[in-house]
Amino acid sequence: MGFRLPAIVQAKQAIRRALSTPVSVDVVPKGHLAVYVGETERKRYIVPVSYLKHSSFQSLLNKGEEEFGFDHPMGGLTIICTEEDFIDITSSLN
């Protein structure tokens, strides 16, 4: 039983490329979006896009729109509520 040297070399190169590629914390997985939550200090949460169809989540987004409009300095959707309220609402959506 022998090993093919070119295949091993290619595998090592692929692993080396994967490990050397920096992973950004700003990456949002496909099918998700980032929102900023909080009344004063904002924390970033990654939520599934499917939340957008729920009326309780839409009402949270509407409050943010009333406060900031669509031009917000953080560059993301901002939800004005406490983190505890946000967690309660999103946990009921799961």
Side-chain angles (χ1 to χ4, degrees), residues 1-71:
M1 175 187 267
F3 292 101
R4 294 183 51 204
L5 187 58
I8 293 173
V9 171
Q10 288 174 349
K12 281 185 178 181
Q13 289 172 346
I15 291 170
R16 197 172 293 125
R17 276 193 306 270
L19 293 176
S20 66
T21 305
V23 176
S24 173
V25 294
D26 294 334
V27 174
V28 178
K30 187 175 183 175
H32 292 74
L33 67 131
V35 295
Y36 295 90
V37 178
E39 294 174 317
T40 55
E41 190 174 322
R42 310 253 183 328
K43 187 173 178 184
R44 186 173 189 244
Y45 286 88
I46 306 297
V47 296
V49 173
S50 62
Y51 284 6
L52 295 174
K53 67 181 176 184
H54 295 281
S55 60
S56 56
F57 195 79
Q58 288 175 2
S59 67
L60 290 176
L61 291 175
N62 288 335
K63 289 179 187 177
E65 179 188 0
E66 290 171 6
E67 178 80 21
F68 296 108
F70 292 109
D71 185 28

